[in-house]
Amino acid sequence: MDAYDEEPEAQSGPEGPAGARRAGGPGTPGDDSGTEHAESEQTESEETGGDRAAELAPRAGLAALSPRYRLVAGGALAVVAAVAAVHLGMVFLSLAPANPVSKQHVKAVEGWVYPEFEQNWKLFAPNPLQQNVAVQVRAQIRGGDGEPRTTGWTDLSAEDGAAIDGNLLPSHTQQNELRRAWDFYGTTHGTDNRPVGVRGALAEQYVRRIVVLRLQRDEGLDRAGTIERVQVRSRTVNVPPPGWSREKVSTSPAYRVLPWWTVTGDETEAGAR
């Protein structure tokens, strides 16, 4: 009877027999519920800490500004982008071939572009050269006997072309010195060979120094006597059109002959140096 009396008491006890805890309760050997609870709390604390760290991290760029300053910065960027777009459009219209838009807004385009943003090149392709221009020179020399002698015409452009032909690294002087000097002379002188503007005398002196230097250095005329005067001319020939073109152009050479120039002593000495 005592045994039967104890068993119900043991079963009805809160902890089971001998004060043992119920199976499946926390702390029971082999039970993982307590560990899972601790791990969930640790994970939750880590996630909360990561969110707080992200919130406390310093912001960069526009995100660091207050909403009002973000609005101001965004407006400033929009204004800069609009001005840049307008500028590119104006420059495009000023360089592009004539079209209805550029003709309609020509005053606005010129007012925007000139003079600060002027460009001296074409947007798509420059007009290709349709003429071959050669610069030639002859000199009047006074020899040792005191008699003057006039040389024949020397084609300086042909000499430059021969030096460039087949040369992988031609010098800037061979390519551009004489050509640019003659272009400079043409833009500062009229068809009557009179200077136009204040740079005409400078262009004339520049061309004269170049041809004297070439005659002394390449032709050796200084050894034959003293170069007293030089005369320059240009020979212009139109480039013939291709065979499939119906265009007809004259291939006869046209000459522009300049007056005789007296060579000064400093020019001959500079050429000798």
Side-chain angles (χ1 to χ4, degrees), residues 30 75 87 95 113 160 241:
H87 176 71
L95 299 177
V113 173
D160 288 344

Side-chain angles (χ1 to χ4, degrees), residues 40-210:
S40 63
E41 291 181 352
Q42 182 179 359
T43 304
E44 183 178 357
S45 63
E46 290 178 355
E47 293 178 353
T48 305
D51 296 340
R52 291 178 180 177
E55 293 178 356
L56 296 177
R59 297 180 179 181
L62 294 178
L65 301 176
S66 63
R68 181 173 58 183
Y69 286 105
R70 290 182 193 176
L71 182 61
V72 174
L77 291 177
V79 171
V80 171
V83 172
V86 171
H87 176 71
L88 292 177
M90 291 294 188
V91 174
F92 177 86
L93 292 176
S94 68
L95 299 177
N99 56 80
V101 178
S102 62
K103 293 179 180 179
Q104 182 179 359
H105 304 284
V106 59
K107 292 184 178 180
V109 172
E110 292 180 353
W112 180 278
V113 173
Y114 297 105
E116 290 83 2
F117 308 111
E118 179 183 3
Q119 303 290 336
N120 58 356
W121 48 271
K122 301 296 183 181
L123 179 62
F124 297 103
N127 294 328
L129 293 176
Q130 299 180 358
Q131 294 176 330
N132 290 323
V133 181
V135 179
Q136 302 173 347
V137 62
R138 65 178 179 176
Q140 190 177 77
I141 303 175
R142 187 173 298 275
D145 56 358
E147 293 295 329
R149 180 174 63 90
T150 302
T151 67
W153 291 100
T154 300
D155 195 333
L156 302 180
S157 297
E159 294 179 355
D160 288 344
I164 294 172
D165 189 19
N167 189 350
L168 296 179
L169 297 173
S171 67
H172 180 75
T173 301
Q174 294 170 336
Q175 298 180 77
N176 297 318
E177 182 183 53
L178 182 62
R179 180 180 62 84
R180 295 294 299 274
W182 184 251
D183 290 343
F184 181 35
Y185 180 88
T187 57
T188 56
H189 287 73
T191 56
D192 57 353
N193 296 323
R194 294 182 179 273
V196 179
V198 296
R199 298 194 301 170
L202 177 63
E204 179 179 326
Q205 184 181 16
Y206 185 41
V207 173
R208 186 168 61 248
R209 284 180 176 271
I210 291 176

